Amino acid sequence: MSRNSLFISITCLLLSCWSCATTKHVDIPPVNIYANAPNADVYHASYPLKISIKHTDLDLRFDWERARVFGKATLTLQSYFYPQDSVILDANGFEVKAVMLLQDAARKKLPFTYDGKKLAIALDRKYNRDELFKIFIEYTANPNQLEVGKDIASPDDRGLYFIQPDELAGIPRQLWSQGETECNSNWFPTINNTMLKMTQQIALTVPDSMITLSNGLLKQSKRNNDGTRTDIWKQELPHAPYLVMIAAGNFKIVKNQWRGKEVSYYMEPKYAPYASMIFGKTPEMLEFYSKKLGVDYPWDKYAQIVVRNFVSGAMENTSASVFFDRMNMTPAEYKDETYEDIVAHELFHHWFGDLVTAESWANLPLNESFATYGEYLWLEHKYGREEADMHALNDELAYFAKDKNKELDLIRFNYADREQMFDEVSYQKGGRILHMLRETVGDDAFFASLQLYLKKHAYQSVEVHDLRQAFEQVTGQDLNWFFDQWFLAAGHPLLEIKTHYQDSTKQVIVQIAQKQDLASMPLYKLPIAIDIYVDGHVDRQTVTLTKQEQTFHLPATKSPQLINFDAKKCILGKKEQSKSLDEWAYQYKHAPLFMDRFEVLENLNDVLDSAKAKEIVVAALTDSAWMIRLMALGAIEKFTKDELKQIYPTVKKMATADERSYVRASAVMLLRTLFQNYDNKEIFKIASQDDAPSVQQALHMK
């Protein structure tokens, strides 16, 4: 799932002149080696399994004005291991009409108690684990009547939403569900346990004018005599209850395909002409992920639907992802934000989250960290590493932006509320950790391990040690050290790096100190690549930091022009290192990665009165990475009038010709401020034809 609060635009972080449009198999807690951690005495175990839901059959009708669900549910159940003579279901805020045991063609009433949240049903006898039995429940669900603070934690937890039409505001009538974390029990009886996997069939009776969507395939559509239509959707492959979804409304379906499977985009008619622009890369993503992971997309179809007033950014319901209404985009809006990363994120979940599901909310990063890293993999494949690294920087900045994030474990059994798991640690930090794991074991081993993990645990639930064991089986290495410090601990390294050249021994001396608080964070083991540049030749040395303070002696024939620490730019941590301006200039010109150049621009602030620093900034105005160009524009306000005059033609060209709208917008703003005394009428006239919202905002901001 994507949460709106997790979308942090690099533009917002770099520009201040204009605003950016933009949840164990045993109940014994583990030993907490960091006793001072927040909620150290809290431990959220995986839910116990007494009953398995094998199949859910729902027959649903709706009271659109009163926002009610008239439901009939038939649950096919089985004792998990021990014989059971009762069933407890989650059913929040229901009016329970009838509970019956189905035996062949007969129905037998079953005694039950109901407290408004839990439906406790007494069976007619004990059922062993090799017996299936069916329970029928007739009920009315009232998600709109659930009280915040009593029945649900927030308005975002209703599970099912009736969007009332507002003609003046252009809002159509819609219905859609949102199950994660445990909200689907607000509209159908189930068991809120991510360890369960079930198949399903859902019959939706709606006005005949509406289009419906659910998991799986549409098996039947029948018009009724009362102006309604009943659509029957069947999901034949098992998935977790929180991934069940339904939606209905006035949508137009734009269809595509991938390997014979339907790929469809459900949008309001007004925006349907742009569906292929917004979602059209989905078949290519399906092919890329299937090949990269060595596991083909497993579900019967893939649908993507954009709904109004969605409670998060998007949700990866099995075979039917839901997206927020910012995805209702025009071509002009698409110039600023394509949200292609969100499309990739929800699709990657169909392997990590849907096919293989975290067994508890404490293990949520096994879903969300992977989906976040799926964004990186797609961008790297489609647009190259530079574009992917810019996206990764955004993730890194999002994690570092909140100081409290360094106090939180990635796999976190001590959360106060499961919704708190949906944060920059589970998403952005976790994605960066997976990238470090990839760099640690190598590409071939990384993707072979993911393939083993997915195939071994398909249609099952997992904990973090299942992931570690897959990597260990493939690589033949003990990786406890990596998982302990990154997945099962909080924080990040704070490294102080000092380097110098010792001519007498022909060695580069690299002194590294770990400065993080070891009372709350690990002493890290860090494999580190160090590039040594001598006369245009680069020599890569790999060292492993294992101590709080450590010195490494690396060979070099003469004093290097540059010692590039963490040359892979993959360590998630803070680095303190002093370099001369000559070294920064050399790094900008010769080091190969976007992050190399970002480091340079980031460290020029205090020396921008230097001619050499300004030379770097001028060169950065035409950098291949749009973020670097944006940073350079932010630095020129310290230039003198004569220096500004020299770069004016470049800035003027950027205002209309730069390929990235945010850069064009920044250049326009600078023309209106730093260059306001120049004759900009013609360039503003050209810029006025640029319909990107950011550019228009820059042109008209007072």
Side-chain angles (χ1 to χ4, degrees), residues 181-403:
T181 53
E182 299 178 2
C183 306
N184 275 342
S185 57
N186 296 339
W187 58 278
F188 71 91
T190 190
I191 299 176
N192 290 325
N193 194 331
T194 62
M195 293 182 71
L196 289 174
K197 295 281 183 145
M198 67 183 194
T199 57
Q200 70 189 53
Q201 178 171 294
I202 301 180
L204 298 170
T205 299
V206 300
D208 191 33
S209 61
M210 286 190 171
I211 296 294
T212 69
L213 178 64
S214 187
N215 315 92
L217 297 177
L218 180 61
K219 293 295 186 177
Q220 183 180 338
S221 186
K222 177 185 176 182
R223 284 188 170 89
N224 306 312
N225 294 329
D226 59 355
T228 65
R229 188 186 74 257
T230 300
D231 290 346
I232 298 177
W233 292 86
K234 191 168 185 179
Q235 168 75 27
E236 296 180 322
L237 294 170
H239 66 158
Y242 78 89
L243 293 167
V244 175
M245 75 80 67
I246 59 173
N250 182 20
F251 298 102
K252 183 174 181 180
I253 309 172
V254 177
K255 293 185 178 182
N256 206 329
Q257 66 144 355
W258 172 78
R259 294 192 191 177
K261 293 185 178 183
E262 181 178 304
V263 177
S264 52
Y265 322 127
Y266 288 62
M267 302 193 74
E268 295 172 26
K270 177 180 177 180
Y271 297 99
Y274 314 124
S276 294
M277 175 189 74
I278 298 164
F279 294 111
K281 296 184 181 70
T282 302
E284 187 180 351
M285 290 182 182
L286 282 161
E287 186 69 16
F288 166 66
Y289 287 145
S290 294
K291 287 184 176 179
K292 195 71 174 176
L293 295 170
V295 177
D296 288 346
Y297 176 80
W299 311 103
D300 293 325
K301 66 139 187 338
Y302 188 50
Q304 295 167 102
I305 185 168
V306 181
V307 302
R308 291 297 184 113
N309 303 337
F310 196 54
V311 295
S312 67
M315 179 63 204
E316 67 276 8
N317 309 294
T318 309
S319 80
S321 292
V322 180
F323 294 84
F324 66 164
D325 51 23
R326 288 191 194 178
M327 303 290 281
N328 282 331
M329 287 185 284
T330 64
E333 292 165 326
Y334 193 79
K335 292 177 181 178
D336 274 352
E337 291 295 338
T338 68
Y339 294 119
E340 196 172 317
D341 54 337
I342 306 180
V343 176
H345 182 107
E346 304 312 323
L347 178 55
F348 208 60
H349 263 308
H350 281 71
W351 287 266
F352 298 92
D354 296 6
L355 179 63
V356 178
T357 308
E359 70 169 30
S360 67
W361 301 116
N363 282 278
L364 180 70
L366 295 178
N367 298 354
E368 296 300 349
S369 298
F370 272 103
T372 302
Y373 195 51
E375 301 169 25
Y376 182 93
L377 293 175
W378 167 251
L379 294 172
E380 180 184 42
H381 163 76
K382 183 65 175 177
Y383 304 108
R385 177 166 179 179
E386 184 165 279
E387 188 70 26
D389 283 350
M390 285 192 282
H391 190 73
L393 171 63
N394 210 15
D395 285 348
E396 187 175 308
L397 293 174
Y399 165 67
F400 286 130
K402 295 180 182 177
D403 196 54

Side-chain angles (χ1 to χ4, degrees), residues 416-466:
D417 182 275
R418 60 180 177 267
E419 300 297 332
Q420 295 176 351
M421 288 297 300
F422 295 83
D423 60 12
E424 297 86 358
V425 177
S426 293
Y427 286 69
Q428 286 93 335
K429 181 182 182 182
R432 292 292 80 211
I433 288 171
L434 289 172
H435 187 67
M436 284 190 291
L437 181 57
R438 176 184 173 187
E439 292 288 355
T440 298
V441 301
D443 268 26
D444 290 346
F446 182 78
F447 291 106
S449 300
L450 295 188
Q451 182 184 52
L452 174 64
Y453 171 79
L454 291 170
K455 288 184 175 181
K456 183 176 181 180
H457 302 291
Y459 309 106
Q460 299 175 20
S461 297
V462 291
E463 61 181 358
V464 67
H465 298 297
D466 294 312

Side-chain angles (χ1 to χ4, degrees), residues 580-648:
S580 69
L581 192 48
D582 284 341
E583 289 173 309
W584 286 126
Y586 193 92
Q587 180 169 320
Y588 182 84
K589 293 179 181 179
H590 298 280
L593 302 179
F594 156 76
M595 281 302 299
D596 289 311
R597 306 194 303 281
F598 176 81
E599 279 185 357
V600 175
L601 271 291
E602 193 180 31
N603 282 277
L604 291 183
N605 281 337
D606 295 334
V607 291
L608 277 176
D609 56 343
S610 161
K612 181 162 288 189
K614 290 177 179 177
E615 287 177 13
I616 298 172
V617 170
V618 171
L621 289 171
T622 55
D623 196 275
S624 60
W626 70 268
M627 286 187 185
I628 299 297
R629 301 196 298 272
L630 197 62
M631 293 177 75
L633 286 172
I636 65 173
E637 62 182 26
K638 295 188 177 181
F639 281 31
T640 67
K641 288 184 178 181
D642 287 341
E643 290 166 340
L644 288 173
K645 184 177 180 180
Q646 294 297 316
I647 63 170
Y648 173 67

Side-chain angles (χ1 to χ4, degrees), residues 489-611:
H492 51 266
L494 176 58
L495 304 177
E496 181 185 83
I497 305 111
K498 296 179 180 179
T499 64
H500 69 274
Y501 181 69
Q502 192 172 73
D503 188 59
S504 60
T505 60
K506 303 297 182 186
Q507 289 179 330
V508 168
I509 313 300
V510 181
Q511 297 170 294
I512 312 170
Q514 299 194 45
K515 295 292 188 177
Q516 67 272 12
D517 182 2
L518 297 182
S520 58
M521 303 181 199
L523 178 66
Y524 288 90
K525 174 181 177 179
L526 296 174
I528 303 166
I530 302 174
D531 282 354
I532 301 173
Y533 289 77
V534 177
D535 293 340
H537 175 75
V538 57
D539 179 34
R540 174 160 295 180
Q541 299 286 333
T542 300
V543 302
T544 301
L545 181 67
T546 58
K547 301 175 182 178
Q548 188 170 3
E549 295 185 5
Q550 206 161 352
T551 300
F552 298 94
H553 298 76
L554 309 176
T557 57
K558 59 188 293 189
S559 181
Q561 283 83 28
L562 174 67
I563 302 167
N564 194 5
F565 184 87
D566 183 25
K568 294 182 179 180
K569 298 295 178 267
C570 65
I571 296 175
L572 181 68
K574 295 291 186 74
K575 295 172 284 190
E576 297 178 358
Q577 182 178 10
S578 295
K579 291 182 182 178
S580 69
L581 192 48
D582 284 341
E583 289 173 309
W584 286 126
Y586 193 92
Q587 180 169 320
Y588 182 84
K589 293 179 181 179
H590 298 280
L593 302 179
F594 156 76
M595 281 302 299
D596 289 311
R597 306 194 303 281
F598 176 81
E599 279 185 357
V600 175
L601 271 291
E602 193 180 31
N603 282 277
L604 291 183
N605 281 337
D606 295 334
V607 291
L608 277 176
D609 56 343
S610 161

Side-chain angles (χ1 to χ4, degrees), residues 24-32 39-45 413-414:
K24 290 297 186 187
H25 298 297
V26 292
D27 290 326
I28 303 173
V31 176
N32 190 344
N39 302 319
D41 57 341
V42 176
Y43 178 75
H44 291 283
F413 294 93
N414 61 345

